[in-house]
Structure formats: C-alpha cells, structure tokens
Amino acid sequence: MTRFSRRGFMAASAAMAASLAVPARLRAATAPLSLTATTRVIEVGGRAATVMGLMNAQGGLGLTLDTDQRFRVDLTNALPVETIIHWHGQIPPNAQDGVPNTNPMLKPGETRGYNYAPRPGTFWMHSHLPEQEIGLLAAPLILRSAEDLRADRQEVVMFLHDFAFRSPEEVLAEVTGGMAMDHGSMNHGAPAGMDHSAMGHGSMGTMGEMSGMADMAMDLNDFNFDAYLANDRTLDDPEVIAVEPGGRIRLRVINGASMTAFWVDTGTPARLVAVDGEPVQPLSGDRFSIAPAQRLDIEINLPADGAALPILALREGARERTGIVLAPKGAAIPRMATLSDEAHPPVSGDMRQELALRAVTSLPERPVQNRQMVMLGGAMQPYVWTINDQTWDNRTPVAAKNGERVELMFHNMSMMAHPMHLHGHVFQVVEVNGTRFAGALRDTVHVPAMGSVTIAFDAGEVAPWMLHCHHMGHLATGMMTELAVSA
C-alpha cells in the first residue's frame, strides 16, 4: 500500500500498513514468526512521543498470517519491565493465554514461544496490564482464511487507540483516584522515562460533555485523552491508503482503545459482515458502533469517480474523531479537523446494532445446563467497579463444567456500559434487555447501563479463564473475575 505523508521519516508508524500486507505464505513456513514488545516513537499533533508496541520482524506493528499454518510466534520482551501478551479472541491452551494470574510474566530480555492452531478473522494482541495497554502495547492480529486469499478485494486495517501525553500511570491514577489494583503478583507498569510529558491536558469527563444528551442518565468517557489515533495517526495527518476506483474493500476495524467507544462512519453505503472475527449475516449501513476490544469487518464498494473516501471513527458523546483516507491515485486528499461541529451520540446504550446482528452459523441447539446471573456494579465516586459485588482481590469465580452449555446474563446495575470479554471461548449473544434472539458470535459484548445481555457458550478447557470488563479503568479497579471450568 502507498502512503502519502509528510512524515515518511518516521519508520515505526509508517511500516504498519505495509507489514500487515505481507502474505504469510511468503514467509518461512518452518520458522516461528518474530514479535517484540518494545518502545517506539510516533508523532501526535506535531510532537514526538515514545510509546510501546508489538513489532514484527519487518519493523511494522502486528502480525498477519494465513490460517493454514500454525500460530508459531517467538515473543521477545525488549522492555525494561515485565510484560504479558494476550492473543485477544484466539483460543490457545490456557497456558498460552497471556494473563498474569495464570501464566508467568515475561521478564526483560526473555523470549517465549507460542504454538497453537489459530482461528481465522480479525483479532488483536495486547498487554494484559492496564498501564501497558494504555501505553499502546497492542497491535493487530489478522488471520486470513482460504476465502480471504481467494477474494477479489483489497484488505485495509484500521487500528484505533486513545492517547495521552502523560504517562499511563498518571492517566490511570487520575481515572481511578488511586484505587487501581494489580491482578498479577506485583506492579507492572510502563518503562521508566516514557515520554508522555509534553502538553498533557487530559481530564476526567463529565455528563456535561454529552452536549445536549443530559436526558440520558449514563456516564460516558471517564477520561479526555489528548488524541485519538487510527493506525498511530490523528485525523489532521491521516494515513492515506492507495485504492482502485470502484474497487472492493474489506475494512478490518479494531478498537484497541483503552477506554473509548466509537462510531465507524464509512461515508458511503457498506455492509457489516463479521464481528469479533465471526461472520454475521450482512448488515447494511454507513455507521457502525464499536466498543473497546471489539472488531468489525466491513465490506465497501468504492465510488467509481476516483474521489478519496475518508473512513472516520467518532468518539461517543463527544466531538473528537480520527480516521484514515482511502484514495485512488491522483485523488485530492481532504483536510479534516480532529473535532466535529457537534458531539456524536453515545454508543453505550444503543443496542440496535446488536439486536440486528445474526450469526451465519449459530451454536448448535442444546439444553442449557448452567444458568447464572453475573451482576455488574460500580460508580464514579468512589471509582470502584465490581462483578457480583466483588473486586478481583476477593472474587468468587463463576463455576462451569467442561462441555456443558452455559448461559450467563450480564445484569448491569451501574450507570456505565461495560464491554465484557470472556477468554478462551466464543459465545453467542442470545438476549438483550429481555428480547430473545440468535445473535452474533463474539468474544466481547457491550452491556448497556441498567440493562442486560445474555450470552451462551459451551464450557471449554478445564482451567481458570479471565472474565472482565475491557475498559482499563474498570478492570484496574476490580471488574474482573474468572470462569472456573472444572472436569
């Protein structure tokens, strides 16, 4: 892919699109792929910032491989602190899942091998330590199916994140009011000396930010980040991806943001064809919601007139936006501000998209053998978030037996929505706010404030599997537990 940019000298961020386009079949089939957790430099608003990243052997961010090969990766920790990387949405053996309470931390300088059968689709990988995920230790993980390789279409990845010039520790301390807790054996943060100091002005969000939406009681946007990034860049200097007029695009959108939900605005009619790596019956539209940790695969037929097409990500309940530009050769690239004229509506609480989604292949019909309610609670003051009235430190795991059909109702008694993620399993959304239906297969579902979502799955490997909110402030103050699968 061709990049049109005044920042070509910044190789770390410039390599993202090119590295994702390298076919796995062109790489050595017998050798493991290389991945390194390290620091890198990006440019945000004209200022250099040192952040973390997961870099491949070509110097780009993330990995792309074909699912006819094993997921064989050697992960090296080049950071001066311990880390642990989770393969979000994949189902490796529990010993390779990448969480600090069940897997050993990766020490500075250590390399660890991973080897399992991958699942096709749009996934991502990230540190399972909140400070490190806030610090951008995350990247795309694309597993292309045989159908993807045969398809006559161009693939484009849009990886979203929220960014602050202040250190991740400062961000988390302000959000949580000092109430964050560690779900590993010790404190693991960002490397000392990370450059987030220039012009930091993030601050706690308020209901007033909702700009005329005060009739809605939910809380939004715990923190006002300094910038919102798409493929490491802001909208005033976006990545421009070369495309063919009238061509077909599969846009893989990954919300790697630590605390932010977005609307994805395609600017032209499009079709949502997969969520969280799982195919859905095509859903037409030009604006789709995406909560933290979720993914969207969107098919777009490009206009034949040769005009550039911005793809925007709109921060919920606020004016900020980011995005990329799809541009045929010679197209004029529009100048776009990072702020819209008006605030975008909330994603949280708007369940119309979830209610409209239908899996291409549903879970097999089976009697439900284990039904449980999982109560989500918490508040902004004091900033503590719970599962079944418990934080991580005093958790009671959710019990299940291997092979049984389980239904969990997430009953949210708080005034914030929660993107709930279950490790080691694919689940189906089967009920939203009392409406029963055969919804999408997912690994992360957004549970609305004062609402409920029921998921169904078959309990997998006998092991403890993390179950938690993927909002880093909520996770850090206790909204996580385990699904304890027994024999």
Side-chain angles (χ1 to χ4, degrees), residues 49-132:
T50 300
V51 298
M52 290 179 279
L54 291 164
M55 312 305 291
N56 59 41
Q58 292 74 39
L61 192 65
L63 292 174
T64 296
L65 65 154
D66 303 337
T67 48
D68 60 356
Q69 63 184 130
R70 298 278 295 181
F71 182 88
R72 294 188 63 208
V73 172
D74 284 346
L75 172 65
T76 299
N77 182 13
L79 299 168
V81 294
E82 293 184 330
T83 191
I84 191 80
I85 302 302
H86 171 55
W87 320 104
H88 189 112
Q90 290 291 298
I91 307 181
N94 185 266
Q96 300 183 47
D97 191 41
V99 291
N101 57 309
T102 56
N103 306 151
M105 298 296 295
L106 196 65
K107 299 183 183 302
E110 182 182 354
T111 297
R112 183 177 300 162
Y114 294 82
N115 188 339
Y116 62 87
R119 301 177 56 242
T122 302
F123 300 92
W124 64 304
M125 46 195 170
H126 59 83
S127 171
H128 218 277
L129 305 174
E131 296 91 343
Q132 294 182 359

Side-chain angles (χ1 to χ4, degrees), residues 437-455:
F437 63 111
L441 297 176
R442 285 192 172 277
D443 56 60
T444 306
V445 67
H446 213 195
V447 183
M450 301 303 291
S452 67
V453 174
T454 300
I455 64 171

Side-chain angles (χ1 to χ4, degrees), residues 19 38 71 80 82 96 170 188 190 231 240-241 275 297 307 315 335 350 366 389 413 417 439 452 474 478:
S19 68
T38 187
F71 182 88
E82 293 184 330
Q96 300 183 47
E170 289 176 296
H188 313 276
N231 296 355
V240 179
I241 298 173
V275 297
D297 284 27
R315 182 191 181 206
R335 300 286 296 180
D350 189 333
R366 286 184 57 193
D389 294 323
M413 296 301 292
S452 67
H474 301 172

Side-chain angles (χ1 to χ4, degrees), residues 200-392:
H201 56 272
S203 61
M204 293 291 287
T206 66
M207 285 298 291
E209 183 187 3
M210 294 176 64
S211 183
M213 302 174 194
D215 56 317
M216 302 188 70
M218 74 189 78
D219 291 316
L220 298 176
N221 296 325
D222 292 6
F223 191 83
N224 290 328
F225 287 84
D226 292 309
Y228 298 86
L229 309 180
N231 296 355
D232 283 347
R233 303 170 72 150
T234 52
L235 190 59
D236 53 0
D237 184 24
E239 179 180 30
V240 179
I241 298 173
V243 297
E244 293 294 327
R248 189 158 62 103
I249 300 294
R250 188 180 187 98
L251 176 67
R252 298 180 184 266
V253 186
I254 303 167
N255 189 356
S258 61
M259 306 185 199
T260 306
F262 297 94
W263 293 100
V264 176
D265 189 337
T266 61
T268 192
R271 299 170 302 282
L272 179 60
V273 296
V275 297
D276 293 0
E278 293 287 341
V280 294
Q281 296 176 22
L283 181 64
S284 297
D286 58 11
R287 184 173 286 196
F288 304 96
S289 63
I290 186 167
Q294 291 183 332
R295 289 87 64 208
L296 305 176
D297 284 27
I298 302 171
E299 287 190 349
I300 302 171
N301 293 328
L302 294 173
D305 61 6
L309 180 65
I311 305 293
L312 302 179
L314 315 173
R315 182 191 181 206
E316 71 163 339
R319 295 172 56 203
E320 288 87 356
R321 59 185 185 174
T322 187
I324 60 176
V325 179
L326 308 180
K329 184 178 180 180
I333 308 304
R335 300 286 296 180
M336 293 172 288
T338 59
L339 294 178
S340 301
D341 292 336
E342 297 180 353
H344 314 296
V347 168
S348 305
D350 189 333
M351 302 302 289
R352 288 174 294 178
Q353 177 176 297
E354 199 67 57
L355 284 162
L357 290 174
R358 296 293 182 272
V360 169
T361 304
S362 292
L363 289 180
E365 289 287 342
R366 286 184 57 193
V368 177
Q369 298 154 293
N370 183 345
R371 279 192 174 90
Q372 298 188 50
M373 180 179 291
V374 177
M375 194 75 70
L376 310 179
M380 298 293 284
Q381 295 294 334
Y383 195 93
V384 176
W385 302 90
T386 60
I387 294 178
N388 292 333
D389 294 323
Q390 297 174 319
T391 61
W392 172 256

